[in-house]
Amino acid sequence: TKRIILKDKDHPDIEQLREPAKILREGGLVAFPTETVYGLGANALNEEAAKKIYEAKGRPSDNPLIAHIADFDDLLPLVTEVPEAGRKLMEAFWPGPLTLIFPKSGLVPYGTTGGLDTVAVRMPADPAASALIRLAGVPIAAPSANTSGRPSPTTADHVWQDMNGKIQMIVDGGAVGIGVESTIIDVSGDEPMILRPGAVTQEMASAVLGKEIFLDPAITSGPLKADVRPKAPGMKYKHYAPKADLTLVEGKEETVAAAINKLVQEKVEAGYRVGVICTDETLNLYPQGMRRSIGSRLQEESIAHNLYAVLREFDDLNADCIFSESFSRNHLGQAIMNRLTKAAGYHIIQV
Ligand code: TXA
Ligand code: MG
């Protein structure tokens, strides 16, 4: 796997991007940065290329891919219709961390959509992603560039750990900005619905639509029951799973720290390698265990930004169990808690 380091990721040098664009156009795999997480790109209109993505990730092939575009004109060939809600959301949030689900056109192969008659489309804001897609000249299917079941990659090193030897190239643009995957909103049905929370929050989308938009009940109801099918097929898989057993502890700050310290003490005495996920504000409250701050409570963005890197770090440290503080479920906190509760297999202790 070849790795190219972008000289200036905010003003990408087109010469540097010619080779990855050519690989993509010709059906190969290239990982590249976006503002949310690193993507594993392939030509979205080439079913064979899509197949290679599933192989490299070890991902079930009924899990559909997002087609990434660079310009508004690139949308129309992929869809049969742009519903009113979709138009409003695009105008407000594209380019940016929002994926919209539309009825698909005949141009998009079922190999890309996992057999669905809808297609997920996103226009990333990252200048390197945008330039690369434009140069490739085709929509780029790109799931997160992690091995299926591992935390999404937020640096090129994370991608390297999972994909070295499995793909042609990694475009290294340093650490991403947001750190959690895009918000997914389905606008193909009668009522728009959030299928995955992200940096375009429920509050932001509701404000643009002029009425409240809701989350797919399947993703808020805790562990999935056999009869509940989330509309985004990817949400049903065990995702973002750290190797260690992760437990979230929810309650008032002082109570949480006391409860976590007690749990850590028990596990340490039993001989386990124990991790603690806390914040800049609470780091000093934990005398034992491998403590990592996930960011500042005063800045939710920092928590989203560090979340997957912290989970991967505990994998590298071979932690057996991790106890984590919890966060509010408003605004960006909804996406943060969605990822954390899934990583914890819905194991939450209320104190
Ligand atoms: O931020 C992101 O969206 C990143 C970057 C690389 O753009 N990509 C990403 O892709 O997170 P992935 O494949 O890891 O997640 C895509 C999600 C999956 O849960 C999938 O099931 C859902 O989108 N999805 C894709 N197409 C869909 C469709 N037609 N209907 C419903 N859900 C769909
Ligand atoms: Mg993913």
Side-chain angles (χ1 to χ4, degrees), residues 20 42 45 57 71 87 111 116 136 141 151 164 173 192 204 209 237 290 304 321:
L45 304 182
K57 279 182 66 82
D71 298 289
R87 194 183 49 74
L116 297 175
N164 184 23
M204 289 159 71
L209 294 174
Y237 298 107
M290 303 180 278
C321 47

Side-chain angles (χ1 to χ4, degrees), residues 189-210:
D190 295 337
E191 288 291 328
M193 186 185 278
I194 298 177
L195 307 191
R196 178 174 73 183
V200 169
T201 64
Q202 185 174 18
E203 292 87 347
M204 289 159 71
S206 297
V208 163
L209 294 174

Side-chain angles (χ1 to χ4, degrees), residues 6-304:
L6 295 178
K7 287 180 241 161
D8 178 355
K9 71 184 202 108
D10 296 325
H11 306 91
D13 175 358
I14 296 302
E15 290 313 314
Q16 274 199 299
L17 294 176
R18 286 200 198 284
E19 194 186 351
K22 182 159 181 284
I23 295 173
L24 286 170
R25 208 164 38 242
E26 293 175 353
L29 300 184
V30 175
F32 61 96
T34 81
E35 70 275 28
T36 56
V37 299
Y38 271 77
L40 176 54
N43 181 345
L45 304 182
N46 176 338
E47 216 150 12
E48 290 306 311
K51 244 186 227 154
K52 290 184 199 164
I53 288 184
Y54 292 111
E55 269 165 41
K57 279 182 66 82
R59 168 171 173 152
S61 61
D62 66 338
N63 191 356
L65 305 170
I66 298 172
H68 293 66
I69 59 175
D71 298 289
F72 283 92
D73 287 346
D74 301 338
L75 175 66
L76 287 182
L78 306 179
V79 303
T80 57
E81 188 199 344
V82 178
E84 168 85 359
R87 194 183 49 74
K88 286 185 181 165
L89 291 166
M90 277 159 56
E91 283 171 2
F93 301 114
W94 277 6
L98 173 68
T99 296
L100 295 169
I101 311 282
F102 297 100
K104 86 168 191 72
S105 73
L107 189 65
V108 183
Y110 283 108
T112 299
T113 68
L116 297 175
D117 287 314
T118 52
V119 60
V121 185
R122 162 158 132 77
M123 187 192 290
D126 181 276
S130 178
L132 178 61
I133 296 163
R134 194 170 291 122
L135 212 53
V138 288
I140 300 297
S144 48
N146 53 289
T147 300
S148 199
R150 293 214 67 202
S152 294
T154 54
T155 67
D157 284 336
H158 295 164
V159 179
W160 186 261
Q161 285 163 14
D162 286 11
M163 292 298 153
N164 184 23
K166 297 182 178 165
I167 65 177
Q168 272 96 324
M169 186 180 271
I170 298 174
V171 176
D172 182 346
V176 302
I178 294 172
V180 292
E181 305 84 346
S182 61
T183 308
I184 303 179
I185 301 182
D186 186 352
V187 292
S188 71
D190 295 337
E191 288 291 328
M193 186 185 278
I194 298 177
L195 307 191
R196 178 174 73 183
V200 169
T201 64
Q202 185 174 18
E203 292 87 347
M204 289 159 71
S206 297
V208 163
L209 294 174
K211 63 174 184 182
E212 192 156 7
I213 176 172
F214 295 100
L215 264 71
D216 178 359
I219 63 173
T220 47
S221 61
L224 289 178
K225 298 165 197 84
D227 57 335
V228 188
R229 276 178 174 270
K231 295 203 167 184
M235 301 299 276
K236 77 174 177 250
Y237 298 107
K238 188 164 193 277
H239 242 184
Y240 325 116
K243 291 179 196 158
D245 257 329
L246 172 64
T247 303
L248 303 188
V249 182
E250 196 161 35
K252 281 212 198 74
E253 193 172 295
E254 322 81 68
T255 332
V256 165
I260 289 181
N261 279 325
K262 187 157 171 280
L263 291 161
V264 171
Q265 170 93 28
E266 283 165 16
K267 290 289 181 189
V268 167
E269 275 168 13
Y272 292 105
R273 294 175 61 80
V274 188
V276 176
I277 297 179
C278 52
T279 53
D280 294 352
E281 290 79 17
T282 57
L283 193 62
N284 287 329
L285 301 179
Y286 301 96
Q288 282 198 90
M290 303 180 278
R291 304 166 301 167
R292 292 293 179 277
S293 170
I294 195 173
S296 168
R297 284 188 180 271
L298 305 177
Q299 231 196 330
E300 252 176 358
E301 291 77 13
S302 69
I303 296 171

